[in-house]
């Protein structure tokens, strides 16, 4: 309970003090306009958006990999190639 009160007090203090928050992340600087509460909200929204984009990318990658496996199996069955030959063809693209 004490930590929560201290955090709340710090946030109120930073809200009154800050008009811009500069966040250093690895080699990049992100600038958030507004007080500390605005910064937290914008950062959370940006992280959520980034996670959604990653999830979409992962789903597409999985779909393509599944399609690639089906295509390789079809090639082997149609043309009688071995799995090793199919991998060689796939890797040479």
């Amino acid at each position: 309970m004490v930590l929560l009160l201290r955090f709340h007090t710090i946030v109120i203090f930073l809200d009154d003090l800050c008009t811009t928050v500069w966040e250093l992340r690895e080699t990049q600087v992100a600038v958030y306009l507004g007080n500390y509460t605005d910064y937290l909200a914008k950062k959370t929204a940006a992280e959520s958006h980034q996670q959604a984009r990653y999830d979409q990318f992962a789903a597409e990658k999985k779909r393509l990999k599944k399609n690639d496996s089906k295509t390789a199996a079809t090639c082997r069955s149609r043309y009688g190639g071995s799995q090793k030959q199919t991998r060689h063809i796939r890797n040479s693209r």
Side-chain angles (χ1 to χ4, degrees):
M1 184 72 175
V2 174
L3 288 175
L4 184 61
L5 288 174
R6 285 185 181 172
F7 178 75
H8 186 65
T9 303
I10 291 170
V11 169
I12 291 172
F13 171 73
L14 289 174
D15 277 348
D16 291 341
L17 184 68
C18 298
T19 58
T20 305
V21 175
W22 296 55
E23 180 185 63
L24 302 174
R25 202 184 288 183
E26 294 180 23
T27 59
Q28 297 180 344
V29 177
V31 180
Y32 297 89
L33 299 177
N35 60 20
Y36 189 73
T37 301
D38 294 336
Y39 157 72
L40 291 176
K42 290 174 185 175
K43 182 176 177 178
T44 302
E47 288 173 348
S48 296
H49 178 71
Q50 184 177 11
Q51 184 64 46
R53 287 184 61 204
Y54 174 78
D55 293 342
Q56 184 180 13
F57 162 78
E60 180 69 7
K61 181 180 175 182
K62 184 177 179 180
R63 184 188 69 78
L64 291 172
K65 192 171 187 177
K66 184 178 177 183
N67 247 2
D68 193 36
S69 296
K70 285 181 183 178
T71 303
T74 303
C75 287
R76 281 194 301 274
S77 66
R78 280 190 188 164
Y79 304 110
S82 70
Q83 196 169 10
K84 185 178 179 183
Q85 287 172 329
T86 307
R87 257 190 253 119
H88 174 72
I89 292 168
R90 191 182 326 153
N91 290 336
S92 66
R93 286 189 233 167

